[in-house]
Amino acid sequence: MSSPPGEPRRIGYLYILPALLVYGAFLLYPLIRAVHLSLFQWDGITLGKFVGLSNYVDVVRDAGLRAAFGHALVLIVFYAVLPVVIGLALATVLQRARVRGLGFFRTIVFLPQVVAMVVVAVAWRHIYAPDGPLNDVLGGSRGWLGDYTFALPAVGVIGTWFETGLVTVLLLAGMARIPAERYEAARLDGAGPVAEFFAVVLPALRGELAVAVTLTVIAALRTFDLVYVTTSGGPGTSTTVPSYEVYHRAFELGQVGSAAAIGVCLTALIFLITLGVNRLADRGTA
């Protein structure tokens, strides 16, 4: 039996070996090291003490940590759900209206993505300040980021503003790939704008929606710099999130093992949610 054309399989592995080495050095090894550290009670300086799964038990039992993960799930609504809904509406209107200067609009909407999150956080902290522009418009003097009720939603609104442009651009790119014949067929069947949206546009955007949801959910769960600059987890612990707890415990409290356990749990949560989103997208296209 003749061999298949092309290089032998072992030669193919040599081609991807450099990428695998970089991937292992900068992703797999730190992840394995984090899992190892999570099994110890260690302050980062002295000799650590093996405690097994105690740090993971604390993640479940500690009310503050449970609240931090709950805050992250709330931020998913602001980072993922609202941007997808708003971005879908914006992209649909822009695509149907054939707005002039659409390329310029895409650039403006996407602009927050190229600005460092620290800069975004500083700007919004000024907007939310008691003497800031938002209170000038509303005629009040509320300290939005210092209010126990409004601090977390205020941080979430920043995430909505930041992620909406990315989602809109992704969906506009997806809509540009939809053949005109599909729209014409739907209109010949008597479909109005709403029916056309659900019959033609939404099914065609399943892949783009999966990418948008995946990126925004990951951004919500791993957000740190925005919380650190705007609220530092406050007031109290009303805006703490897992990634902030990792920093707080590792570098401020000297609880490296606990911080590693939180990081591993957060990584697992991100992986499971991403896997679920992709499974749903694949099932829908099957």
Side-chain angles (χ1 to χ4, degrees):
M1 185 175 62
S2 61
S3 60
E7 297 283 0
R9 186 181 297 272
R10 61 180 179 275
I11 302 299
Y13 286 129
L14 290 177
Y15 288 138
I16 65 174
L17 182 60
L20 287 177
L21 290 175
V22 173
Y23 183 80
F26 291 99
L27 183 65
L28 294 182
Y29 174 74
L31 181 59
I32 294 172
R33 180 62 173 160
V35 174
H36 177 253
L37 290 176
S38 69
L39 303 177
F40 289 82
Q41 183 181 354
W42 185 44
D43 60 3
I45 300 175
T46 60
L47 186 65
K49 175 185 176 183
F50 182 78
V51 294
L53 299 177
S54 295
N55 288 322
Y56 292 96
V57 174
D58 290 341
V59 173
V60 178
R61 290 182 176 177
D62 192 316
L65 288 179
R66 292 201 305 271
F69 277 92
H71 297 158
L73 296 179
V74 171
L75 289 181
I76 288 178
V77 176
F78 289 96
Y79 271 74
V81 178
L82 290 179
V84 167
V85 173
I86 297 171
L88 195 55
L90 275 175
T92 302
V93 170
L94 290 170
Q95 187 69 17
R96 290 186 64 88
R98 304 294 181 183
V99 178
R100 291 183 178 179
L102 187 58
F104 176 75
F105 178 82
R106 288 179 180 175
T107 303
I108 295 299
V109 169
F110 192 76
L111 191 59
Q113 294 293 320
V114 301
V115 179
M117 181 56 80
V118 173
V119 177
V120 172
V122 171
W124 277 89
R125 190 174 62 183
H126 171 68
I127 293 173
Y128 282 136
D131 57 348
L134 181 60
N135 282 318
D136 289 343
V137 173
L138 298 178
S141 58
R142 181 185 296 275
W144 297 92
L145 296 175
D147 191 293
Y148 280 89
T149 302
F150 293 102
L152 186 61
V155 172
V157 167
I158 303 174
T160 302
W161 172 82
F162 186 80
E163 299 294 342
T164 296
L166 171 64
V167 175
T168 303
V169 172
L170 280 173
L171 297 181
L172 279 172
M175 289 179 182
R177 296 189 301 100
I178 301 176
E181 293 80 6
R182 294 189 183 182
Y183 292 105
E184 294 173 0
R187 290 164 189 164
L188 288 174
D189 289 338
V194 176
E196 181 182 292
F197 172 78
F198 285 101
V200 177
V201 177
L202 204 55
L205 294 179
R206 200 179 302 273
E208 285 76 10
L209 285 171
V211 172
V213 171
T214 299
L215 293 177
T216 53
V217 166
I218 291 175
L221 292 175
R222 62 193 290 266
T223 184
F224 165 76
D225 38 10
L226 178 61
V227 172
Y228 179 79
V229 174
T230 54
T231 65
S232 295
T237 58
S238 59
T239 59
T240 56
V241 290
S243 56
Y244 181 80
E245 282 292 336
V246 171
Y247 164 81
H248 175 61
R249 291 179 180 243
F251 297 103
E252 295 181 349
L253 300 182
Q255 300 174 3
V256 178
S258 176
I262 299 170
V264 171
C265 291
L266 181 60
T267 302
L269 179 61
I270 291 174
F271 175 78
L272 290 175
I273 292 178
T274 303
L275 182 64
V277 171
N278 287 301
R279 284 269 181 99
L280 289 174
D282 292 341
R283 185 178 302 174
T285 55

